[in-house]
Amino acid sequence: MNASTTATAATSAASIAAAASATAASSTDTHTHTHTTTETTTMQAAVQRHYGSPEQIHVDAVAVPQPREGEVLVEVHAAGVDRGVWHLATGRPLVIRAIGFGLRRPKQPVMGSDLAGVVTAVGAGVTRFAVGDEVFGTADGSYAQFAIAKEERLAAKPAGTSMTDAGAMPVSAVAALEAVEDTAKVEAGQRVLILGASGGVGSFAVQIAVAAGAHVTGVASAAKADLVRELGAERVIDYRTTKVTELDEQFDVIIDAGSLTSLGRLRRILSPTGTLVLVGGEGGDSLIGGSGRSLVAPLVSLFTKQRLTGMLSATNAVLLNRLAVLVESGAVRAAVTSTYPLDRTADAVTDLAAGRIASKTVVTVRDAD
């Protein structure tokens, strides 16, 4: 089995769908309330203007965007890294180009989606935030000193949470929340298996399932097993030495956050009425990548009592606020294992894609804490 330690690509891509085009200057009939820190007209940002290796991501001076109606300008302190950034930088699989991210080059050259920071300006019609508010969520190009976010994609930063931790959460933690609570509907006492348990989505899924009262088994490499145990898993299986799908046991819920294990093999260890949730997926062909299983799963479900489903996630204020409740209660935290300055964004994305990072890594744009 090829369990992945990365966050899911499809989930990440879906959560930044609104960032498919670069932000533009506000129209003349849109009023903004601007903090003095936006008086500068240029900023530093990590950009990728042509599809290619993430090693080509570099810092350049770009125009500071201005919020239009319903938008918020955020001074970015920290921005999480997920596998979706790699996909948007490379333009792979090819389907992402066809669904609006740019056929020949990225429509949004500034990379990144996750963020935590401080509201610097708001556009007309924004009612939930004011200049000076600390927020977290997703934006259009967050690896920059400033980023534009739609109001509905932001929430107040969880109380007591550092900017670094808050910046690591939106894409991966929201995907995990939807997978565990909304799609799988995990309940107390259930046996839950999480593939890719040390990755971005998986590390949050372990904690959310544990908070629901489930008995959680995580699948990860031996090097990352201690981390998964620290997050609450009762048992950790090393996929390099044990074929999980050949275990003589079954699970009520399986959340696959990054492997390429076939549906047939996963069904073997799923209880007769159990639920399998596929959160994205890596590998696969050049056209649709690893999302093929998610397309087939609902069709297979028609002929079995098992529920098999793929899942795409889109970050919004409702989900972020639900996540904040879990964070403030102490049930969920961001297991940030590495940080990179803005000028090493290329290294952050490359290291994540290569599997060299457990759980979450963050690009720190300012002194986040």
Side-chain angles (χ1 to χ4, degrees):
M1 184 178 80
N2 182 19
S4 168
T5 60
T6 61
T8 169
T11 301
S12 304
S15 70
I16 56 176
S21 61
T23 51
S26 59
S27 60
T28 57
D29 62 347
T30 299
H31 302 286
T32 63
H33 308 282
T34 307
H35 192 268
T36 55
T37 56
T38 62
E39 291 179 355
T40 181
T41 58
T42 61
M43 65 178 182
Q44 296 295 298
V47 300
Q48 176 90 320
R49 292 191 171 90
H50 302 279
Y51 290 128
S53 166
E55 295 175 353
Q56 297 173 18
I57 298 173
H58 62 282
V59 172
D60 201 354
V62 301
V64 175
Q66 295 300 315
R68 295 175 290 184
E69 184 172 358
E71 295 179 338
V72 176
L73 180 67
V74 178
E75 180 184 52
V76 181
H77 285 234
V81 181
D82 64 82
R83 184 72 181 219
V85 179
W86 182 89
H87 288 279
L88 294 181
T90 61
R92 294 159 52 192
L94 297 176
V95 66
I96 71 169
R97 306 188 189 195
I99 62 176
F101 291 99
L103 287 175
R104 297 182 180 275
R105 61 184 62 86
K107 280 189 175 181
Q108 169 57 284
V110 179
M111 295 287 101
S113 176
D114 278 341
L115 65 71
V118 178
V119 174
T120 303
V122 297
V126 173
T127 60
R128 295 175 48 238
F129 301 107
V131 171
D133 287 349
E134 294 186 338
V135 297
F136 79 134
T138 57
D140 297 345
S142 62
Y143 298 158
Q145 292 176 301
F146 298 94
I148 289 289
K150 295 184 182 298
E151 182 181 22
E152 63 269 20
R153 290 165 59 189
L154 294 174
K157 182 175 72 67
T161 305
S162 70
M163 287 288 188
T164 298
D165 285 354
M169 293 179 183
V171 167
S172 297
V174 164
L177 182 67
E178 288 191 280
V180 175
E181 292 190 353
D182 299 344
T183 306
K185 303 184 186 304
V186 170
E187 299 177 350
Q190 286 188 316
R191 298 157 298 168
V192 177
L193 177 71
I194 298 177
L195 298 157
S198 64
V201 175
S203 62
F204 286 112
V206 168
Q207 298 175 78
I208 296 170
V210 169
H215 301 290
V216 177
T217 297
V219 179
S221 67
K224 300 171 183 176
D226 286 344
L227 170 65
V228 178
R229 291 190 189 94
E230 289 173 6
L231 296 176
E234 295 180 4
R235 180 173 54 150
V236 181
I237 297 173
D238 181 358
Y239 67 85
R240 291 193 174 111
T241 60
T242 302
K243 293 184 178 180
V244 179
T245 56
E246 295 182 4
L247 292 174
D248 190 22
E249 61 182 296
Q250 293 184 323
F251 298 88
D252 302 302
V253 173
I254 299 175
I255 295 175
D256 187 343
S259 86
L260 285 173
T261 309
S262 70
L263 291 178
R265 291 167 63 193
L266 290 172
R267 289 185 60 202
R268 181 185 177 279
I269 56 171
L270 184 65
S271 68
T273 57
T275 297
L276 167 65
V277 181
L278 305 170
V279 191
E282 294 305 314
D285 61 32
S286 62
L287 180 60
I288 63 173
S291 59
R293 294 181 310 157
S294 294
L295 299 175
V296 173
L299 299 177
V300 177
S301 282
L302 296 175
F303 304 98
T304 177
K305 292 182 179 180
Q306 294 173 326
R307 189 163 69 94
L308 318 174
T309 182
M311 193 201 81
L312 293 177
S313 175
T315 305
N316 59 53
V318 172
L319 291 166
L320 288 167
N321 283 323
R322 283 173 52 192
L323 173 62
V325 170
L326 288 169
V327 173
E328 291 174 354
S329 73
V332 171
R333 65 180 177 90
V336 177
T337 58
S338 59
T339 61
Y340 294 74
L342 184 64
D343 61 4
R344 290 193 59 209
T345 297
D347 293 334
V349 178
T350 300
D351 288 348
L352 180 74
R356 290 190 284 267
I357 295 171
S359 189
K360 291 300 299 183
T361 189
V362 172
V363 171
T364 52
V365 183
R366 287 174 173 77
D367 292 334
D369 304 317

